[in-house]
Amino acid sequence: MWYAPSPLSIADLQRAAQRRLPPSIYGYVHGGSEDQTAMQANRDAFSRWRFLPRPLVNVSQRRFGVTLFGQRYNAPLGISPMGVAGLCAFEGDVALARASYEAGVPFVLSAASTTPLEKVAQANPDMWYQGYLPADQHVIEPLLSRVRDAGVKVLVVTVDVPIASARENELRNGFSIPLKLSPRLICGGMIRPRWLMSTFAQTLLKRGMPHFENFTAQRGGPIIAAAKGDHRAGRAAMTWNDIAWIRDHWPGTLLVKGILRAQDAQHAHSLGLDGIFVSNHGGRQLDGAVAPLDALPEIVAAAPGLTVLLDSGVRRGTDVLKAMALGAQAVFIGRAAMYGLAAGGQRGVAQALALLTREIDVDLALLGCPDIADLSPAYLCRADLPVSTELNQLNALMSAVPAAVF
């Protein structure tokens, strides 16, 4: 479905997605909030780290599978929750779910999805569910029952979206949620006839107008109208007390997503949570927020024994290795998967995962680390500090973290 030659990197998939999507929808997928400085900071954070490779190590056999919450996965990758994926490809939620299941990596279904979670769970029986939850137990409890009945074992509660952020680029492009059929949006669709027929028209003909299916236990409103009872209502009142209540009522694995402070990681651990996502929502919420990679070492040191996952800004296999060397147990992608989805549907998502997995394999060999479980800060140095100074700081960091973390 994409343009020749075949994509060699996530950047190639991004360019293919930009050519295929209407400008307003591409702006939604690609952009961040306000001045988009947090989004850029996420990429800059990876650039500040350099590798210290070890030569003359036997790397003829590489191992890069990981175990998360008792489940073995083929690669240290996962797909983060992303809303209204159906705007990028027909039944986009199902395409993401199937591609991740076939690749043997975790997938998190967004609450802002347009396919019933039960159907997505059939495509990927190992899927995780991400909730945007209000501080209302009468709403949360039936939703937990629905998610549990669908066979979902991992619940992810996003905590960095108490209210909607100011995404000026989306407004300038005529994009909003719920969708408004503005002249800019309509014209953008007309100039992308392949998207218009394969995604928009096919969805209307086969599925009707998409609805928000998974915010609560009941079906939500259509994406071109306000949701039944604003789906953002009540989130601003959520506190750690609500997370503690969910922990008491959710029998499976529980994570919170959107942690950037070591103290919050410690609090999550003290409440009996199983893990956290170190994330700034890909730079789509608070502009100017710290990059997750910069926050990661302190968080890992502060909460030993807690499973720490990272997303935001990941575009290369080297990004994955840097995050894992600093203590993340796995790394999740958002935009990278959506670029693949827009470029080629399920096949495009599979291509994105395959590209990153191949890079991880090659980069491990070049780094002189045949087993990803052996990654540690000793393989890194800061680009802006002398190596000797950085090694002293990394040794101090390593001594503060139990060896089992690495």
Side-chain angles (χ1 to χ4, degrees):
M1 185 176 288
W2 42 67
Y3 295 86
S6 295
L8 301 176
S9 67
I10 297 301
D12 289 343
L13 289 174
Q14 176 186 337
R15 286 186 284 271
Q18 186 173 17
R19 288 191 293 264
R20 186 172 184 275
L21 290 175
S24 56
I25 296 177
Y26 175 76
Y28 160 72
V29 172
H30 179 69
S33 61
E34 295 185 357
D35 293 324
Q36 306 186 84
T37 58
M39 188 173 72
Q40 183 58 49
N42 292 342
R43 293 300 305 139
D44 293 343
F46 287 103
S47 298
R48 284 194 292 272
W49 290 98
R50 297 287 187 266
F51 289 113
L52 288 169
R54 291 176 173 169
L56 298 175
V57 174
N58 184 350
V59 292
S60 59
Q61 300 292 326
R62 276 90 61 197
R63 295 173 294 278
F64 47 84
V66 296
T67 299
L68 300 174
F69 314 117
Q71 176 77 30
R72 189 67 178 173
Y73 295 103
N74 293 337
L77 286 171
I79 297 182
S80 288
M82 294 166 291
V84 289
L87 293 178
C88 289
F90 175 67
E91 291 201 331
D93 302 308
V94 174
L96 290 165
R98 285 177 176 158
S100 58
Y101 189 68
E102 292 179 3
V105 299
F107 161 71
V108 191
L109 177 67
S110 170
S113 46
T114 56
T115 305
L117 65 91
E118 293 82 2
K119 181 175 181 178
V120 183
Q122 290 177 354
N124 185 339
D126 296 327
M127 81 167 199
W128 305 0
Y129 170 81
Q130 171 257 352
Y132 289 114
L133 303 179
D136 187 342
Q137 297 172 9
H138 295 95
V139 173
I140 298 173
E141 192 164 22
L143 175 61
L144 296 186
S145 296
R146 179 188 174 193
V147 173
R148 184 173 61 249
D149 290 345
V152 175
K153 298 179 177 62
V154 181
L155 173 65
V156 180
V157 180
T158 290
V159 296
D160 59 359
V161 191
I163 62 173
S165 62
R167 300 181 189 172
E168 296 163 11
N169 69 299
E170 294 179 10
L171 297 176
R172 293 189 182 99
N173 286 324
F175 184 91
S176 64
I177 296 292
L179 284 177
K180 297 178 181 178
L181 297 180
S182 65
R184 184 184 294 268
L185 191 66
I186 294 171
C187 290
M190 297 298 291
I191 64 173
R192 295 290 189 267
R194 288 198 310 146
W195 173 88
L196 191 65
M197 297 305 297
S198 65
T199 301
F200 183 74
Q202 186 176 189
T203 298
L204 289 180
L205 288 172
K206 294 183 177 180
R207 301 290 181 262
M209 181 59 64
H211 284 235
F212 292 110
E213 299 283 356
N214 303 313
F215 275 117
T216 68
Q218 292 79 38
R219 189 186 199 198
I223 63 171
I224 61 170
K228 294 178 181 177
D230 184 0
H231 61 77
R232 297 187 182 94
R235 283 193 231 157
M238 176 165 271
T239 70
W240 283 107
N241 291 334
D242 299 293
I243 300 298
W245 184 90
I246 294 170
R247 174 70 289 177
D248 289 340
H249 290 77
W250 175 252
T253 301
L254 178 61
L255 298 85
V256 289
K257 184 176 187 295
I259 299 298
L260 293 170
R261 298 171 61 93
Q263 298 94 324
D264 290 328
Q266 290 175 326
H267 199 165
H269 199 196
S270 71
L271 292 177
L273 271 65
D274 301 284
I276 60 171
F277 275 83
V278 182
S279 170
N280 66 8
H281 219 94
R284 298 170 71 84
Q285 288 306 118
L286 177 63
D287 199 24
V290 64
L293 192 73
D294 289 336
L296 180 63
E298 185 179 358
I299 287 174
V300 170
L306 188 68
T307 296
V308 177
L309 311 174
L310 178 139
D311 75 7
S312 302
V314 176
R315 298 292 184 275
R316 286 284 188 182
T318 49
D319 299 338
V320 176
L321 299 191
K322 288 174 183 180
M324 296 191 70
L326 292 174
Q329 277 103 318
V331 176
F332 283 61
I333 57 171
R335 290 184 181 90
M338 285 284 259
Y339 296 147
L341 180 66
Q346 180 181 335
R347 182 178 169 222
V349 180
Q351 184 75 51
L353 293 171
L355 287 169
L356 289 170
T357 300
R358 178 188 60 81
E359 290 176 4
I360 290 168
D361 184 30
V362 171
D363 296 335
L364 276 176
L366 297 176
L367 187 57
C369 180
D371 193 333
I372 204 164
D374 293 332
L375 282 175
S376 75
Y379 283 96
L380 299 176
C381 65
R382 293 277 296 204
D384 52 353
L385 290 175
V387 173
S388 59
T389 301
E390 184 59 26
L391 282 176
N392 289 335
Q393 293 182 358
L394 290 174
N395 287 332
L397 171 65
M398 290 174 66
S399 65
V401 181
V405 173
F406 299 105

